[in-house]
Amino acid sequence: MSDYFKQYIRDVKDFPKEGIVFKDITTLLQNPVALRETGEALTEFAKGHSVDIVAGIESRGFIFGMYLAEKLNAGFVPIRKPGKLPSDSFSQSYELEYGSDTIEMHKDAIFKGAKVLLHDDLLATGGTAEAAIKLIEEAGGEVVQVSFLIELDFLNGKEKLKNHEIKSLIHY
Amino acid sequence: MSDYFKQYIRDVKDFPKEGIVFKDITTLLQNPVALRETGEALTEFAKGHSVDIVAGIESRGFIFGMYLAEKLNAGFVPIRKPGKLPSDSFSQSYELEYGSDTIEMHKDAIFKGAKVLLHDDLLATGGTAEAAIKLIEEAGGEVVQVSFLIELDFLNGKEKLKNHEIKSLIHY
């Protein structure tokens, strides 16, 4: 399945910096057939789970995060970059190759005991998803699955998230 | 209809700065019933239009932009902040109260003659949407509708977009 979906992904060399081959999902998104097939496959991953909330990580995680929320009859919660959410928020920082980054979620975004599916477009080192899981658990939610459009297997991000069910559609 | 949906919007005082009452849509999104009702109403706005592509403006415009793309069997095109898109892009700047801002769209995101529905969460002064329309037209697309979750009527943003069909679900 992974190989099938790769036809829709564009490789862009030297983005965001020299030596990196960026996996561009916009070619998949702009194709209505690919968009539907991708959405259906991600929805299939969630089969058997009862999901109250889909949380998507800003900003590409909003895209199929919203698709999943609609298909699973769940609410949608945006996990955002610092200073974007207007009301009281939990905050989590995580390490990057150089320096660190922070994500936030409204404190009242998730009711206690809510079953949450976390979605992002890309699993690289897993730092962002790990921080997002902490936010959801801090709010009292239970992460029932973490799904990604793309996983970079060689970065072994799964290791950081090993206490959770991880599903990725496309593997490199 | 506007009054009905207002129950789901949270007013946050003094965000992003003192004196501003921010219209927070996260309370609508996290409610599965409100999310579905909102999505259906926005889809209803598009009835009678043939739509090839839904373009959503980063990042809150991605949310119901994707919902609409799925419902209308269209592709989804993200219009993004500068430096985020990996491939060749068109760029448009627009004026803000203080200074200016820029948005970008991949040059090959839209085929010539494509019918495009542009979506964003908020119509304020209309500067962002006007710039987004220019991007779509530069790529050879035709904007068949511009839809918003919320319109701040008193800012008269519609005036800037007067050559286009504008639909907003909630009016303040």
Side-chain angles (χ1 to χ4, degrees):
Chain A
M1 191 152 72
S2 171
D3 281 347
Y4 173 77
F5 283 100
K6 280 180 184 171
Q7 66 178 304
Y8 298 125
I9 304 293
R10 169 163 56 185
D11 282 356
V12 181
K13 282 183 187 162
D14 297 325
F15 185 89
K17 55 185 179 180
E18 224 185 301
I20 292 179
V21 180
F22 186 84
K23 300 298 175 188
D24 179 17
I25 66 165
T26 65
T27 37
L28 181 155
L29 297 170
Q30 74 198 50
N31 176 332
V33 174
L35 184 145
R36 181 169 297 274
E37 288 172 345
T38 303
E40 284 172 357
L42 291 170
T43 307
E44 185 68 22
F45 281 161
K47 218 174 163 178
H49 286 296
S50 159
V51 175
D52 299 307
I53 291 286
V54 177
I57 301 176
E58 186 166 15
S59 63
R60 286 191 302 257
F62 289 2
I63 300 173
F64 281 106
M66 182 60 170
Y67 187 105
L68 286 165
E70 196 275 326
K71 291 298 173 199
L72 301 173
N73 292 309
F76 177 75
V77 166
I79 293 180
R80 301 204 64 182
K81 295 179 170 62
K84 298 283 187 174
L85 289 169
S87 195
D88 282 350
S89 297
F90 291 122
S91 184
Q92 279 287 341
S93 294
Y94 55 98
E95 301 301 311
L96 297 173
E97 197 183 353
Y98 303 101
S100 70
D101 218 336
T102 301
I103 49 175
E104 299 184 342
M105 191 184 77
H106 274 152
K107 286 184 180 174
D108 61 2
I110 289 173
F111 59 89
K112 291 215 189 315
K115 294 185 186 308
V116 181
L117 191 160
L118 174 64
H119 176 79
D120 204 359
D121 69 319
L122 180 74
L123 173 55
T125 64
T128 317
E130 191 186 25
I133 290 169
K134 285 182 190 163
L135 288 175
I136 293 162
E137 291 179 346
E138 201 173 353
E142 179 198 346
V143 177
V144 296
Q145 183 177 92
V146 192
S147 80
F148 300 94
L149 204 46
I150 296 174
E151 178 172 347
L152 304 179
D153 293 345
F154 56 94
L155 291 175
N156 203 23
K158 229 174 193 164
E159 183 60 23
K160 263 207 188 90
L161 315 173
K162 62 182 164 191
N163 297 320
H164 294 89
E165 181 183 308
I166 311 301
K167 294 280 188 183
S168 303
L169 189 59
I170 307 171
H171 293 265
Y172 289 97
Chain B
M1 191 155 69
S2 172
D3 281 345
Y4 173 76
F5 284 100
K6 280 179 185 172
Q7 67 176 304
Y8 298 124
I9 304 293
R10 168 164 57 185
D11 281 357
V12 182
K13 281 184 188 161
D14 298 324
F15 185 89
K17 53 186 182 182
E18 225 183 301
I20 292 180
V21 179
F22 186 83
K23 299 298 175 189
D24 179 16
I25 66 165
T26 64
T27 37
L28 181 153
L29 296 170
Q30 73 198 52
N31 176 332
V33 173
L35 184 147
R36 182 170 296 276
E37 288 172 347
T38 302
E40 284 172 356
L42 290 169
T43 307
E44 185 69 22
F45 281 161
K47 219 175 162 177
H49 285 297
S50 159
V51 175
D52 299 306
I53 291 286
V54 177
I57 302 175
E58 187 166 14
S59 60
R60 285 192 302 257
F62 289 2
I63 300 173
F64 281 106
M66 183 60 170
Y67 187 106
L68 286 165
E70 195 274 329
K71 291 297 174 200
L72 302 172
N73 291 311
F76 177 76
V77 166
I79 293 179
R80 301 203 65 182
K81 295 178 170 62
K84 298 281 188 178
L85 289 168
S87 194
D88 282 352
S89 298
F90 291 122
S91 184
Q92 279 287 340
S93 293
Y94 55 98
E95 300 302 311
L96 298 174
E97 198 183 350
Y98 301 101
S100 70
D101 218 334
T102 301
I103 49 174
E104 299 185 341
M105 190 184 77
H106 273 153
K107 287 185 179 175
D108 61 4
I110 289 172
F111 60 89
K112 292 217 186 313
K115 294 185 187 305
V116 180
L117 190 160
L118 175 65
H119 176 78
D120 203 359
D121 68 320
L122 180 74
L123 174 54
T125 63
T128 316
E130 189 185 28
I133 290 168
K134 284 182 191 163
L135 288 175
I136 293 162
E137 292 179 346
E138 201 173 354
E142 178 197 347
V143 177
V144 297
Q145 182 178 92
V146 191
S147 80
F148 300 93
L149 203 47
I150 296 174
E151 178 172 347
L152 304 179
D153 294 347
F154 57 93
L155 290 175
N156 203 22
K158 228 173 193 164
E159 182 61 24
K160 264 207 185 92
L161 315 173
K162 63 183 165 191
N163 296 321
H164 294 89
E165 181 181 308
I166 310 299
K167 293 280 188 184
S168 305
L169 188 59
I170 307 171
H171 293 266
Y172 289 98

